[in-house]
Amino acid sequence: MKNNQAKSLLFEFLALAILMLLIPFFISVDITILKNGLSEVSITEFMQEVFILISAIIFYKASSKEPESKGLFILMAGLFTMMFIREGDYYLDAVFHGFWKVPVAIVLIATLYYAVKNKTTILQPLLTYSQTKMSTYILIGFLIIIVFSRTFGTGSLWRDIMGDDYHHVYKTVIQEGIELFGYSLVFFGSMLFNRKKKEL
C-alpha cells in the first residue's frame, strides 16, 4: 500500500513538473520561432483552451456517472465551458465583436437550470471534494486565472516598473504565462480527479 502511494506521489510530482516546464517552452516557441507575439493564434493560447476544455469534458462525464454529485459537477463543467468559450473569443468575433457572450449566456442558463434541478447534489459533494488534493489544485489554478493573472499581469503595473523600457509584449508574456500556469493546475487537478475515479 505504501509502495503504491509512493509511486503515485512520484508520478504526480513528475507530471506537474513536466507541465510547469512546458509553459516557458510554449512561450519561447511562440516568441522566438513562430514570432506571433503571443497573439490569439498561438501555442500558448491554444494550450489554455485545450486544458480547460479537457477539464470541462471530465466533469461533464462525471456528472452522468456519479448522480450523487451531479449538481456540483454540472456547475464545474459549465464554468469550465464558459471559460473555454471566453478564451476562444477571437474566433467567435468573426460573427460579430463580442459574440462570445451569446454562447456563454446559453451555457450559463443551461448550467443553472440543471444545477437547480439537481440542487440536492451540490453542497454535500462540495464539502466532500473540498477536502481532496485535486480540488486544491483546481481552486488555486482558478484563482490564478481570474485574479492573479489579471492583477499581476496588468499593463499599468509593468509600465510603472519598466518605465521607458516598457513594451507591450512583456506584459503579454507575463500575463499569458501566468494564465497558462493557472490552466495547467486546473487541468492537473481534473486529471487527478479522473484518475482517482478510474481506480475506484
Side-chain angles (χ1 to χ4, degrees):
M1 185 67 176
K2 287 184 178 179
N3 191 40
N4 288 339
Q5 288 178 333
K7 286 181 179 179
S8 180
L9 185 62
L10 179 61
F11 170 80
E12 291 173 19
F13 174 82
L14 291 175
L16 190 56
I18 290 169
L19 270 178
M20 290 182 177
L21 289 171
L22 285 174
I23 295 169
F25 172 74
F26 290 143
I27 291 174
S28 178
V29 170
D30 278 327
I31 295 297
T32 61
I33 299 177
L34 300 180
K35 300 186 186 300
N36 53 37
L38 284 185
S39 66
E40 297 289 342
V41 185
S42 63
I43 296 175
T44 302
E45 286 279 350
F46 177 72
M47 291 311 301
Q48 290 175 4
E49 292 161 15
V50 167
F51 284 159
I52 200 65
L53 177 60
I54 292 174
S55 300
I57 291 170
I58 286 172
F59 284 99
Y60 273 124
K61 288 184 175 180
S63 69
S64 62
K65 293 180 179 178
E66 195 172 322
E68 64 274 19
S69 303
K70 188 169 186 174
L72 174 63
F73 294 158
I74 285 173
L75 284 173
M76 293 179 69
L79 173 62
F80 294 159
T81 300
M82 289 185 281
M83 292 171 71
F84 169 73
I85 294 169
R86 180 64 182 90
E87 282 297 332
D89 64 329
Y90 170 80
Y91 304 99
L92 294 173
D93 278 348
V95 180
F96 62 80
H97 184 69
F99 177 71
W100 65 270
K101 296 175 184 177
V102 176
V104 162
I106 293 171
V107 173
L108 176 60
I109 292 169
T111 299
L112 293 176
Y113 171 75
Y114 284 107
V116 169
K117 278 188 67 175
N118 297 275
K119 60 180 181 292
T120 58
T121 58
I122 295 175
L123 183 57
Q124 188 53 52
L126 176 62
L127 295 175
T128 300
Y129 281 102
S130 66
Q131 306 300 313
T132 64
K133 184 165 44 175
M134 38 271 213
S135 72
T136 302
Y137 282 118
I138 291 171
L139 178 61
I140 292 174
F142 179 71
L143 289 174
I144 288 173
I145 296 165
I146 67 166
V147 179
F148 187 65
S149 71
R150 298 292 187 270
T151 53
F152 193 72
T154 187
S156 58
L157 172 64
W158 291 99
R159 285 191 194 94
D160 292 340
I161 293 172
M162 303 184 73
D164 293 339
D165 292 327
Y166 173 81
H167 294 283
H168 182 72
V169 69
Y170 297 157
K171 174 260 181 193
T172 302
V173 166
I174 292 165
Q175 186 171 43
E176 295 300 329
I178 293 172
E179 272 193 40
L180 184 54
F181 177 55
Y183 280 115
S184 298
L185 291 180
V186 171
F187 169 74
F188 187 73
S190 301
M191 291 301 289
L192 279 185
F193 167 83
N194 192 53
R195 183 166 173 251
K196 295 295 182 186
K197 284 295 169 190
K198 287 182 177 179
E199 290 174 356
L200 295 177

